[in-house]
Amino acid sequence: MSAPSIRHTYSIKEAAALTGLPASTLRYYESIGVITPIRRGASSKHRVYTEEDLDLLTWVSCLSATGMSVADMRRYLANGELGAAAASDQIALLKAQEEQLAAEAKAIALRKRYVGLKIAYWQAVQDGDGAGAERLSDEARTLADDLKKTRKQ
Amino acid sequence: MSAPSIRHTYSIKEAAALTGLPASTLRYYESIGVITPIRRGASSKHRVYTEEDLDLLTWVSCLSATGMSVADMRRYLANGELGAAAASDQIALLKAQEEQLAAEAKAIALRKRYVGLKIAYWQAVQDGDGAGAERLSDEARTLADDLKKTRKQ
DNA sequence: ATAGGAACTTCAAGTACTTGAAGACAAGCG
DNA sequence: CGCTTGTCTTCAAGTACTTGAAGTTCCTAT
């Protein structure tokens, strides 16, 4: 039999450092059932995180980073425990996530263009280039019009 | 005399798209006094945003993206520090915002890749391709490390 | 053995939005 | 003209943490 002589465990602070989630958030996720209750110390009430717990929390951290809601995370992780049986559910959830990220990327590109235009505008003002400033102001308005057309979606 | 014959105005939705702040947040900021009340339409009660309003909101968006609390934003704007800022200051702030947007775009591209990988993983599981699933799982783990770095900063 | 301090605990309240319900207003169509 | 569609309005409630208070527990050092 394999002897787990070095069964590494972690305090909440260590778990927080390793997952990138604040300790308060770890407790919060546990309280609302995103993760199952963490085992406690024999003599204390302190949470004791195993490496398995850490793996799961890394997953949660990733889902959180993609902007998934806690409700969806809870569902996703519940399905994860079922394995391949729920693969189609996982794919559907992830595809929705992919679409959301694409929309976000689009919005950010628009903002980048707008801010870039504003920088050019103030640089023209600084250089005393009134004509350039006005031209850039017009461009900003054009951007607004483009936005209006693209408003379809 | 300069005739402001074409005084361009914007609906809340257009303002939201141009500033990157949701319409609900625009209303929220107005309700708690971060920005002064927006003029309303003559016949309707709808908010009508001028280009001046848009400029101000772009600044608010910058401050918000930089992590300033609403309380601090209110104080900052009430002190008129924004209006008094020189062109060079405005450019500096906008460039910081531009960098932030670039970083966000990068992070989103990374997350998109991560989610795409996860979709491929579950599709491999669904197809009974154990070897492929394992390979994709490893790839995802490597990407997760990158993701974590982006999140921290 | 015990005193001090860091780190942990729960729970309540705060923060910064976000969402949903219910209704008003304006344009386009039969 | 009325009807549908769409965007707007307010306000209340919800979300996802975050912070703070008050009370344990762990560790280290005297």
Side-chain angles (χ1 to χ4, degrees):
Chain A
M1 50 189 83
S2 59
S5 53
I6 42 154
R7 189 131 102 268
H8 226 284
T9 57
Y10 307 86
S11 71
I12 194 168
K13 199 172 195 184
E14 289 166 333
L18 288 169
T19 59
L21 297 166
S24 60
T25 301
L26 259 33
R27 281 189 284 259
Y28 170 67
Y29 280 172
E30 192 180 336
S31 76
I32 61 168
V34 165
I35 54 171
T36 53
I38 298 297
R39 272 225 327 282
R40 302 310 182 96
S43 61
S44 77
K45 286 181 170 182
H46 295 189
R47 286 167 180 84
V48 177
Y49 293 83
T50 66
E51 293 194 45
E52 248 178 50
D53 293 331
L54 264 283
D55 277 353
L56 185 66
L57 282 169
T58 299
W59 228 136
V60 171
S61 179
C62 290
L63 295 178
S64 167
T66 64
M68 187 176 281
S69 73
V70 286
D72 281 349
M73 281 197 281
R74 191 161 35 196
R75 179 156 166 263
Y76 185 93
L77 292 165
N79 285 348
E81 288 178 271
L82 296 175
S88 60
D89 270 5
Q90 313 266 32
I91 290 167
L93 212 51
L94 284 167
K95 281 199 170 164
Q97 205 56 38
E98 200 177 37
E99 263 176 56
Q100 205 206 302
L101 286 170
E104 254 175 78
K106 228 176 181 172
I108 282 176
L110 177 71
R111 283 162 69 189
K112 253 166 95 176
R113 206 177 135 204
Y114 186 72
V115 169
L117 225 49
K118 282 281 166 193
I119 289 171
Y121 169 78
W122 282 109
Q123 242 146 20
V125 167
Q126 200 172 33
D127 298 347
D129 181 5
E134 201 169 324
R135 186 173 43 76
L136 288 160
S137 202
D138 284 349
E139 240 180 287
R141 253 176 268 134
T142 307
L143 177 58
D145 289 345
D146 284 357
L147 204 227
K148 217 171 172 182
K149 280 180 217 155
T150 326
R151 194 166 52 136
K152 278 284 169 202
Q153 242 279 342
Chain B
M1 54 176 90
S2 59
S5 53
I6 43 151
R7 194 129 101 267
H8 226 275
T9 58
Y10 305 87
S11 72
I12 193 168
K13 201 169 193 186
E14 290 165 334
L18 288 169
T19 60
L21 297 166
S24 59
T25 302
L26 259 33
R27 282 189 282 259
Y28 171 66
Y29 280 172
E30 194 180 335
S31 76
I32 63 168
V34 165
I35 54 170
T36 53
I38 299 295
R39 266 218 323 282
R40 302 309 183 97
S43 61
S44 75
K45 285 184 172 181
H46 296 189
R47 288 168 179 82
V48 176
Y49 293 83
T50 65
E51 295 195 40
E52 252 176 49
D53 292 332
L54 263 281
D55 280 349
L56 185 66
L57 283 169
T58 301
W59 290 112
V60 171
S61 179
C62 288
L63 296 177
S64 170
T66 316
M68 187 178 280
S69 72
V70 284
D72 283 347
M73 280 197 281
R74 186 164 40 196
R75 199 163 30 240
Y76 190 72
L77 293 164
N79 288 349
E81 288 183 67
L82 234 170
S88 59
D89 284 351
Q90 314 226 10
I91 290 168
L93 206 54
L94 279 168
K95 282 200 169 164
Q97 170 77 336
E98 198 179 38
E99 265 175 54
Q100 176 112 13
L101 285 171
E104 254 175 78
K106 216 172 170 183
I108 283 177
L110 204 63
R111 287 166 198 177
K112 257 164 92 176
R113 208 177 126 212
Y114 184 79
V115 170
L117 223 51
K118 277 287 162 190
I119 289 171
Y121 167 78
W122 282 110
Q123 243 144 19
V125 167
Q126 202 169 32
D127 299 348
D129 180 6
E134 201 170 325
R135 185 173 45 73
L136 288 161
S137 192
D138 283 349
E139 232 179 295
R141 196 167 300 220
T142 307
L143 238 173
D145 290 343
D146 291 347
L147 242 183
K148 221 159 123 188
K149 278 179 217 149
T150 338
R151 215 172 123 77
K152 268 281 136 187
Q153 255 288 346

